[in-house]
Amino acid sequence: MHLIFGSGPIGLATLDALRRRGESVRIVNRTGHAPVPEDVEVVAGDAADPDFCVRVARGADVVYQVLSPAYHRWSAEFPALQAAILAAAQATGARLVSLENVYMYGRYTGKPFTEDSPWRPHTRKGMVRAAMARELLAAHEAGRASVVIARASDYFGPRGESQSNLGERVLGPALHGGTARVLGDPDQPHTYTYLPDIGEGLAALGAHPAAVGRVWHLPNDPTPHTTRELVDALYHLAGRAPARIQGTPAWQLRLAGLFNPGARETVEMLYEFTEPFLVDSREITTRLGLRATPLEQALKETLASYRRAGSAGSVPSR
């Protein structure tokens, strides 16, 4: 049995990948409800409670940690959440596949980030991520748990429309006309990870015997692209080229942050979108054979998903 902590876009992408493999899956979230097939068990509970996590993980072969607190509660909640799920893996002997982002690397220094890049976090959230990664790797090295760390860059794709820089602020204007709005400078090269590739990568890392005990970058398109190039491609696929694009500078985020804690916490991460930010995933392709979905196909599927959701009257659930 495979246990997924989280039923957001990444949790559901992981569920999709596991079901394609014929695996039995249980999902944990706060409500006990999720947009999943009837034969998928959804358990309600507090993932920051170690006792609950141990109980719900009994019988699991692999545990996937894809939960993330609200941006403004990272420092207060994230370490305890991970510790509880790690305790469940330790108690049950399940392999723990933990999804991370790439904040711990800090600023781009001229070469794409690899799994061996030094950690130079200069933001609060980057420091939290680095400390949490050290905790997981230490648990594995000490023999307390079997751990795999997977890292993705900023994601896009089906079900992620409300949270992605290539989400509803781009897809809506591409389909219906108007100006796309993105973070930072759209002319900077930036790596984006396709959501179904995250799910496929996590499922593969949960099964591959050579995956444990190390960090893997999940598959990304190997060709660098700017945000503008990807937005242009989406507008072209929607039949509305050329695109109109407006970047969001820091002062606008700071102003929005007076009323929105999520926007306030985004300010320190804006460097990712005002400077080059590239992530190399050749290691997972070379060693495990995992490749990113061809970019045009990924963009077409993202646009089609958003169009279907609009026809149904809503954007897919988080």
Side-chain angles (χ1 to χ4, degrees):
M1 188 267 289
H2 293 246
L3 176 64
I4 303 172
F5 280 92
S7 59
I10 294 172
L12 295 178
T14 307
L15 171 67
D16 291 343
L18 290 170
R19 284 178 64 84
R20 282 192 288 270
R21 289 163 168 78
E23 300 291 356
S24 172
V25 182
R26 176 185 298 158
I27 286 180
V28 176
N29 64 17
R30 285 190 174 277
T31 66
H33 302 284
V36 299
E38 291 184 0
D39 60 332
V40 176
E41 182 183 11
V42 184
V43 180
D46 180 5
D49 178 353
D51 292 336
F52 165 75
C53 290
V54 171
R55 288 196 305 272
V56 79
R58 288 185 183 133
D61 300 298
V62 187
V63 171
Y64 302 85
Q65 155 40 20
V66 300
L67 286 170
S68 179
Y71 233 21
H72 64 286
R73 299 201 301 267
W74 264 44
S75 297
E77 297 182 7
F78 216 163
L81 186 153
Q82 175 177 280
I85 296 172
L86 176 59
Q90 292 175 170
T92 62
R95 177 183 297 194
L96 173 59
V97 180
S98 184
L99 179 70
E100 298 181 349
N101 55 31
V102 291
Y103 292 178
M104 71 287 295
Y105 297 133
R107 282 196 153 88
Y108 185 79
T109 58
K111 293 182 180 180
F113 299 118
T114 71
E115 291 88 340
D116 296 322
S117 292
W119 299 359
R120 300 190 178 99
H122 62 284
T123 63
R124 293 186 305 279
K125 288 180 283 296
M127 293 174 189
V128 169
R129 267 298 184 198
M132 291 171 60
R134 282 193 292 268
E135 178 186 29
L136 290 179
L137 293 171
H140 183 88
E141 290 166 7
R144 299 195 306 272
S146 178
V147 174
V148 184
I149 292 178
R151 291 182 183 152
S153 191
D154 299 280
Y155 66 66
F156 74 101
R159 303 190 185 103
E161 290 90 343
S162 66
Q163 297 154 294
S164 172
N165 198 41
L166 299 178
E168 57 193 2
R169 295 187 303 272
V170 170
L171 298 170
L175 286 173
H176 307 299
T179 299
R181 289 175 170 79
V182 298
L183 291 171
D185 178 359
D187 294 308
Q188 295 297 328
H190 190 92
T191 296
Y192 293 90
T193 309
Y194 185 46
L195 268 164
D197 291 341
I198 296 177
E200 285 290 334
L202 293 176
L205 293 175
H208 202 290
V212 295
R214 57 164 298 167
V215 172
W216 301 91
H217 287 176
L218 295 172
N220 301 307
D221 188 279
T223 304
H225 295 282
T226 66
T227 297
R228 183 182 299 276
E229 288 172 335
L230 299 183
V231 174
D232 279 337
L234 284 166
Y235 270 66
H236 177 76
L237 290 169
R240 291 191 177 271
R244 289 182 289 167
I245 307 173
Q246 179 178 316
T248 303
W251 70 264
Q252 286 187 354
L253 281 176
R254 291 191 183 96
L255 183 61
L258 295 175
F259 311 97
N260 183 326
R264 183 166 61 249
E265 288 297 324
T266 300
V267 174
E268 71 167 3
M269 305 310 306
L270 195 60
Y271 72 92
E272 291 187 347
F273 298 95
T274 57
E275 306 166 11
F277 197 83
L278 299 175
V279 181
D280 185 302
S281 62
R282 285 177 294 180
E283 188 78 359
I284 203 167
T285 299
T286 301
R287 291 182 176 268
L288 304 187
L290 299 181
R291 300 180 182 276
T293 300
L295 184 60
E296 184 174 359
Q297 178 185 339
L299 294 174
K300 282 182 178 178
E301 290 173 358
T302 300
L303 197 64
S305 173
Y306 189 79
R307 183 183 280 117
R308 288 193 299 271
S311 298
S314 65
V315 172
S317 171
R318 294 178 63 182

